[in-house]
Amino acid sequence: GAVVSQHPSWVICKSGTSVKIECRSLDFQATTMFWYRQFPKQSLMLMATSNEGSKATYEQGVEKDKFLINHASLTLSTLTVTSAHPEDSSFYICSAPDVANYGYTFGSGTRLTVV
Amino acid sequence: DAKTTQPPSMDCAEGRAANLPCNHSTISGNEYVYWYRQIHSQGPQYIIHGLKNNETNEMASLIITEDRKSSTLILPHATLRDTAVYYCIVRTGGPGTASKLTFGTGTRLQVTL
């Protein structure tokens, strides 16, 4: 089945630095990528939707200047958390629609810890 | 997309069937029911989906009531590896469409020996 490879699986960074998370679709073209954030013991919250070659669409309350999304190719979407703070510590997950099959394929997630 | 209601948690003995209910009383005619699960600290995994007919695949069965206002996911022989949070999601558009998935709170299934 379709696979989305997400890296890194975990990262620890210092406050004020930026972190980039990559999601690659390995055997299909992902024209759309959804980015979620999940805090401990909570559900997944959609942050933004990226479309290849165009600007991302952000959900209400998500700062687009803080969470930079780039979807430059049909197989790669990136999320950069800029000037990270401890409250940005969370589990970040990407997902792409697998239109050739039935569902959505999710990355394995990135656990970000900001110290 | 219609809202869903699921019990927050359930227990099931290993080897027994796990029946996870979902209420989606405001579902409209073009909305599909999807089930995903999330094992701790992993990305969600697709299980099954349906529109109005019951569905079965190698992982589970999906029973949708005739009025489509509720559904039940059945894991026929639960194992310890089925311990996860199960999400019932209703969304517009079936296979081949790319509308977003909105996750509710899900049901935390604990399979025990």
Side-chain angles (χ1 to χ4, degrees):
Chain A
V3 175
V4 171
S5 176
Q6 183 171 349
H7 292 280
S9 55
W10 61 271
V11 58
I12 301 173
C13 71
K14 292 185 178 180
S15 257
T17 61
S18 295
V19 173
K20 180 186 283 189
I21 300 170
E22 291 189 350
C23 280
R24 293 180 184 273
S25 56
L26 296 187
D27 48 5
F28 69 105
Q29 292 183 334
T31 56
T32 300
M33 190 75 75
F34 299 103
W35 287 92
Y36 294 85
R37 178 169 54 182
Q38 186 175 34
F39 292 108
K41 299 195 177 185
Q42 294 187 22
S43 187
L44 285 78
M45 294 294 294
L46 181 66
M47 298 175 65
T49 303
S50 72
N51 293 290
E52 187 266 336
S54 62
K55 288 185 178 181
T57 303
Y58 290 81
E59 296 297 305
Q60 192 172 8
V62 177
E63 300 174 59
K64 62 180 181 181
D65 294 330
K66 181 170 184 60
F67 299 99
L68 301 179
I69 291 175
N70 184 281
H71 196 148
S73 78
L74 289 172
T75 59
L76 176 63
S77 178
T78 62
L79 167 67
T80 301
V81 183
T82 63
S83 187
H85 290 284
E87 56 265 31
D88 298 323
S89 297
S90 188
F91 192 55
Y92 293 86
I93 309 169
C94 60
S95 172
D98 179 15
V99 294
N101 296 294
Y102 302 119
Y104 289 67
T105 298
F106 286 81
S108 53
T110 297
R111 185 159 303 282
L112 170 64
T113 302
V114 184
V115 297
Chain B
D1 294 334
K3 186 172 174 147
T4 61
T5 304
Q6 299 177 253
S9 64
M10 294 182 65
D11 292 331
C12 178
E14 189 175 35
R16 305 296 293 269
N19 297 284
L20 291 88
C22 179
N23 182 286
H24 31 79
S25 58
T26 61
I27 193 169
S28 59
N30 63 345
E31 290 183 311
Y32 285 70
V33 180
Y34 283 77
W35 283 83
Y36 283 79
R37 72 180 182 184
Q38 185 180 26
I39 296 170
H40 183 61
S41 293
Q42 297 182 25
Q45 175 190 23
Y46 166 80
I47 302 173
I48 200 167
H49 77 279
L51 181 61
K52 54 183 179 181
N53 297 322
N54 297 338
E55 303 288 345
T56 296
N57 63 19
E58 64 277 5
M59 289 183 69
S61 294
L62 174 61
I63 308 298
I64 302 174
T65 58
E66 193 167 343
D67 63 7
R68 302 211 319 126
K69 292 185 177 182
S70 65
S71 61
T72 301
L73 177 74
I74 302 172
L75 307 178
H77 305 287
T79 70
L80 296 177
R81 286 178 292 183
D82 292 322
T83 293
V85 178
Y86 287 77
Y87 295 99
C88 167
I89 301 169
V90 169
R91 75 170 183 103
T92 302
T97 61
S99 57
K100 62 185 179 183
L101 288 178
T102 301
F103 286 79
T105 53
T107 295
R108 185 172 299 275
L109 176 68
Q110 179 70 53
V111 181
T112 57
L113 290 172

